[in-house]
Amino acid sequence: MTTLKTPLCDLLGIEYPILQAGMGGVAFGPLAAAVSKAGGLGTIAAISPTPERVEQEIKLVRSLTDKPLCVDIGFPQRAPKDLAEIKIDKLPSPIVQLQKEIEALGVEVKPVDDQAMSIEDAKAKLEICFKHKVEVIACALGTPKWVVDECHARGVKVLSMVGSARHAKSAIKAGTDVVVVQGTEGGGHTGDVGLITLLAEVLEFSTVPVVAAGGIVTGAQIAGVLTQGAQGVWVGTRFIGSQEATVGPNYKQSIVEAGYDQTIRSLLFDGLYVRQLKNRYTEVWEGHEDEMLGYPLQRVAIGPVRFASVEADLKDHQPLPAGQGSSLIRDVPPAADVLHRLVDETVATLRQSRERITY
């Protein structure tokens, strides 16, 4: 077995410095367990599901492996105390159009129980993680100091997802154990600075290990960011293209078929910038960008359409968060095979570099 290790591995108790991203709707128990069991750090996406679902997925992982587990919880500063407070007088016309088209396909669009991103919801999920002795908590969309303090009091490590050097400084000040810098190439919620630049900026001042994220789908890319100074990688889209990812076959096939110019970064997903594949779900907003609502109004307004299209796995009408590295993904193997392939490719690239470069 190929060996690939950095100090991050000892910090998190893992074999390889490859962390599977907490992708909403994608990263549940089966994927997290497969990655952790194979030597990486598996992550459960806990922003959207109910606390009961999060606990169910944690229990599933614990039944499959005793390796370290990460749970990704959102703590956005602008989160409402209760989503019931959100009132929307009129739906944007693109949402109305999407609903008509989805219903024409025989799919019911109905209200959804999406308590995602309310602070009380996040607190409940955090307590569940403590109850089941989850080893690592990933803070998305903000790292409150009280979260870090609660985690450290129980010996739990904290990862902070950031998209700017400013946010990295804030997370480090709050006491985070690891900073995950995601370049704009990444899928899902992402900033507007490229990974190579963002990584260099954060490495200049970071006093904690830095993990690179954003568009990373090959071992050659991993080798590149490791030589730049990262201690590991946070990989998302490559694991969407795995058998254990909890999405339908149409989503996975869309990743395999994606071209290099097929992603778009916009506010249409939930009012925060998200990168996703272009399809009818994004096309319907062209010329109607002024109707997009801010967060969390956009998230609440589009929720029924989004969840209905995802549940039915509609290739053209469901949101397909994905990074720019999608164009380099061409198959859908088991997650363990993905991880081991990345490790082998990384080591091979590092060895080839020594042969190719003299200094």
Side-chain angles (χ1 to χ4, degrees):
M1 181 67 70
T2 304
T3 299
L4 179 65
K5 193 171 184 179
T6 70
L8 178 74
C9 296
D10 291 331
L11 178 68
L12 301 181
I14 55 180
E15 187 174 356
Y16 306 117
I18 298 177
L19 289 55
Q20 164 247 313
M23 302 162 285
V26 178
F28 288 117
L31 178 58
V35 173
S36 286
K37 193 172 183 179
L41 181 66
T43 302
I44 292 173
I47 293 180
S48 292
T50 63
E52 293 75 18
R53 175 70 185 278
V54 172
E55 185 165 32
Q56 175 186 333
E57 299 300 329
I58 293 173
K59 288 180 177 179
L60 175 59
V61 173
R62 293 308 197 199
S63 72
L64 297 172
T65 180
D66 59 358
K67 297 293 184 66
L69 170 66
C70 176
V71 174
D72 189 347
I73 304 176
F75 297 96
Q77 294 181 354
R78 290 183 285 162
K81 292 183 178 180
D82 187 343
L83 289 186
E85 302 172 0
I86 305 301
K87 305 297 181 184
I88 300 172
D89 297 326
K90 181 181 178 182
L91 288 176
S93 60
I95 297 179
V96 175
Q97 181 63 32
L98 283 171
Q99 180 167 339
K100 289 179 180 178
E101 294 180 13
I102 291 171
E103 290 176 336
L105 295 171
V107 176
E108 181 183 4
V109 178
K110 54 189 176 182
V112 296
D113 180 19
D114 176 21
Q115 288 297 312
M117 299 188 184
S118 71
I119 292 299
E120 293 308 312
D121 177 76
K123 288 180 178 178
K125 292 169 181 175
L126 191 61
E127 287 301 320
I128 289 170
C129 291
F130 294 154
K131 173 184 174 182
H132 293 281
K133 302 187 184 305
V134 169
E135 291 84 358
V136 184
I137 295 296
C139 291
L141 307 174
T143 305
K145 188 177 186 305
W146 67 265
V147 173
V148 177
D149 292 343
E150 290 280 350
C151 287
H152 285 174
R154 295 166 175 80
V156 177
K157 302 298 182 185
V158 178
L159 308 182
S160 295
M161 309 299 302
V162 303
S164 71
R166 176 170 59 88
H167 291 154
K169 288 180 179 179
S170 176
I172 292 170
K173 184 177 180 180
T176 191
D177 297 289
V178 179
V179 169
V180 181
V181 297
Q182 177 164 303
T184 191
E185 304 94 328
H189 293 106
T190 188
D192 55 8
V193 181
L195 174 57
I196 297 301
T197 298
L198 180 59
L199 180 57
E201 290 176 341
V202 176
L203 284 170
E204 280 192 335
F205 60 78
S206 183
T207 55
V208 301
V210 178
V211 169
I216 297 175
V217 299
T218 71
Q221 292 171 300
I222 296 174
V225 295
L226 289 180
T227 57
Q228 189 178 343
Q231 287 199 28
V233 291
W234 174 265
V235 178
T237 304
R238 174 60 270 197
F239 283 110
I240 298 177
S242 70
Q243 292 179 12
E244 292 87 349
T246 313
V247 294
N250 281 332
Y251 192 161
K252 296 179 185 181
Q253 189 59 30
S254 295
I255 296 289
V256 172
E257 295 174 354
Y260 72 92
D261 59 351
Q262 208 161 334
T263 65
I264 182 174
R265 177 176 169 270
S266 79
L267 298 169
L268 66 89
F269 185 84
D270 62 3
L272 302 172
Y273 278 105
V274 167
R275 184 176 297 283
Q276 57 195 306
L277 296 179
K278 299 175 186 176
N279 61 358
R280 181 58 181 164
Y281 186 86
T282 64
E283 180 186 67
V284 73
W285 287 92
E286 294 177 7
H288 297 276
E289 290 82 1
D290 61 336
E291 294 188 50
M292 291 182 190
L293 307 173
Y295 168 84
L297 293 176
Q298 180 77 7
R299 181 184 182 93
V300 175
I302 207 166
V305 162
R306 179 162 68 91
F307 282 88
S309 61
V310 168
E311 185 175 351
D313 191 29
L314 301 179
K315 190 171 185 179
D316 294 327
H317 288 84
Q318 72 171 305
L320 303 169
Q324 291 180 329
S326 299
S327 61
L328 297 171
I329 298 173
R330 301 182 178 90
D331 59 359
V332 185
D337 289 358
V338 170
L339 186 136
H340 291 144
R341 184 191 302 176
L342 291 175
V343 170
D344 291 342
E345 290 175 352
T346 302
V347 172
T349 300
L350 292 171
R351 288 172 177 166
Q352 291 166 8
S353 296
R354 287 204 304 264
E355 299 170 358
R356 187 178 68 254
I357 304 170
T358 58
Y359 52 92

